[in-house]
Amino acid sequence: MLKIGEFSKLTLLTVKALRFYEKEGILVPALIDEWTGYRFYDTSQLETAARIKAYRQLDLSVREIKAALSGMQIKEILAAKAEALRAQQEEIRIRLSIIHHILEDNQMRYQAVIKRVPAAIVYYEEKRLSHIKEKMTFIPESGDECMRLNPDLQCTTPEYEFIEYLDSEYKETDVLIRHSQAVTRFGNENERIKFKEVPATRVISIYHKGSYEQLGEAYAYLAKYAEENGYHVKGLARECYIDGIWNKEAVEDWLTEIQLPIE
């Protein structure tokens, strides 16, 4: 039997860590002296301690370690951890890109243009999303559903596709969104896909290059530009995605046009 200090030296785990793992029930001493409270470990527990240390180096949580020690396939646990780390990596990459962009003093300087968007027939779908980030999944799913109903339907050339936010306030969760795509004719509808004609619209147009998390700057610029130049907003702003994660690896290369209808 090994005293806790001896066990600590052999496992390269601090006494504090061992007491924590004991409390969490993943490495309980083989014997605790009821009079002195001294902890003793069996040599067979050295292997368990080594596994715990290795798992912690992989940033597995106590819950995940418990699952591994209780018989769950470690490959399943590590696969889930790898997926979570990839998601974190993407979030970190985006944030680093924004930080570098700001540090280099290359923040977007918008150039507003007044233009007329011609009338168009569009198919559209409205949906309430649990989070705003789901819009990039919703858009292609909406297109797939429309093409399933209308396999011969053609999009206009040049293409014109946009989304609008239908809530009365800015929201990141429980977001009501409408996706529209200009097409050459009316088509078959169902409970999801509808068709309508969008009239010709005069808009203030600006291009935003970079992360969607910075789109607030573009909207602020549009609102200020409209007010300072005496334009009255008429309708919902439209986000048109030109380049994004589907065809550009670097966040700084993502390009979004924002159109604000005016009169």
Side-chain angles (χ1 to χ4, degrees):
M1 299 288 280
L2 300 168
K3 293 181 179 179
I4 192 170
E6 297 170 326
F7 193 73
S8 171
K9 290 180 180 179
L10 290 173
T11 59
L12 303 181
L13 292 169
T14 65
V15 170
K16 181 179 179 180
L18 290 172
R19 291 189 180 278
F20 172 74
Y21 295 144
E22 176 189 348
K23 180 181 178 183
E24 293 295 330
I26 58 178
L27 188 55
V28 179
L31 175 67
I32 300 177
D33 189 294
E34 61 179 323
W35 298 106
T36 63
Y38 290 165
R39 269 91 171 141
F40 296 91
Y41 293 82
D42 193 275
T43 53
S44 63
Q45 292 180 286
L46 291 171
E47 183 179 352
T48 302
R51 289 173 63 192
I52 292 172
K53 186 174 180 66
Y55 293 155
R56 288 299 294 151
Q57 289 174 339
L58 295 175
D59 197 35
L60 264 63
S61 66
V62 169
R63 180 183 60 80
E64 291 166 330
I65 293 173
K66 283 183 178 180
L69 295 178
S70 64
M72 184 175 177
Q73 288 293 322
I74 186 61
K75 286 187 177 181
E76 294 180 14
I77 297 172
L78 292 180
K81 175 59 69 173
E83 185 62 30
L85 288 173
R86 279 191 288 270
Q88 292 176 22
Q89 186 179 42
E90 178 63 16
E91 291 289 337
I92 291 171
R93 185 177 70 84
I94 291 172
R95 281 167 174 73
L96 281 174
S97 175
I98 295 171
I99 290 171
H100 291 322
H101 196 64
I102 294 173
L103 288 176
E104 292 169 5
D105 195 29
N106 288 327
Q107 295 188 62
M108 187 69 181
R109 296 295 182 263
Y110 300 110
Q111 180 63 53
V113 175
I114 308 299
K115 69 179 186 180
R116 184 178 177 82
V117 178
I121 297 169
V122 302
Y123 77 80
Y124 68 95
E125 180 179 2
E126 297 178 4
K127 185 176 182 180
R128 189 167 291 281
L129 308 179
S130 59
H131 196 283
I132 194 171
K133 290 183 178 180
E134 295 176 7
K135 63 186 178 182
M136 288 307 169
T137 303
F138 165 61
I139 292 172
E141 287 178 349
S142 179
D144 290 343
E145 178 66 8
C146 182
M147 291 302 106
R148 186 186 68 80
L149 291 171
N150 304 278
D152 298 325
L153 187 66
Q154 299 294 317
C155 295
T156 59
T157 303
E159 287 195 15
Y160 183 49
E161 182 179 26
F162 58 92
I163 67 165
E164 300 163 290
Y165 301 102
L166 305 182
D167 293 301
S168 59
E169 59 181 311
Y170 173 74
K171 298 169 71 177
E172 291 188 345
T173 59
D174 191 34
V175 186
L176 184 58
I177 193 172
R178 178 166 61 216
H179 165 247
S180 302
Q181 170 86 52
V183 290
T184 54
R185 61 174 175 83
F186 286 88
N188 297 319
E189 299 183 340
N190 63 7
E191 69 281 357
R192 288 178 53 186
I193 302 299
K194 307 297 181 183
F195 286 81
K196 66 178 180 179
E197 185 169 357
V198 177
T201 309
R202 191 171 177 230
V203 302
I204 307 174
S205 168
I206 62 173
Y207 289 91
H208 171 84
K209 198 167 187 180
S211 168
Y212 302 137
E213 295 181 9
Q214 292 179 297
L215 281 173
E217 298 176 14
Y219 278 100
Y221 178 90
L222 271 174
K224 184 177 180 181
Y225 184 92
E227 181 181 10
E228 290 181 347
N229 291 275
Y231 294 111
H232 298 285
V233 177
K234 183 183 181 182
L236 300 171
R238 303 172 181 177
E239 286 182 14
C240 308
Y241 304 109
I242 299 168
D243 292 316
I245 194 171
W246 58 91
N247 67 341
K248 298 292 183 180
E249 292 186 3
V251 177
E252 55 268 25
D253 292 332
W254 295 0
L255 184 64
T256 306
E257 181 186 9
I258 303 178
Q259 300 174 347
L260 186 64
I262 56 171
E263 58 182 5

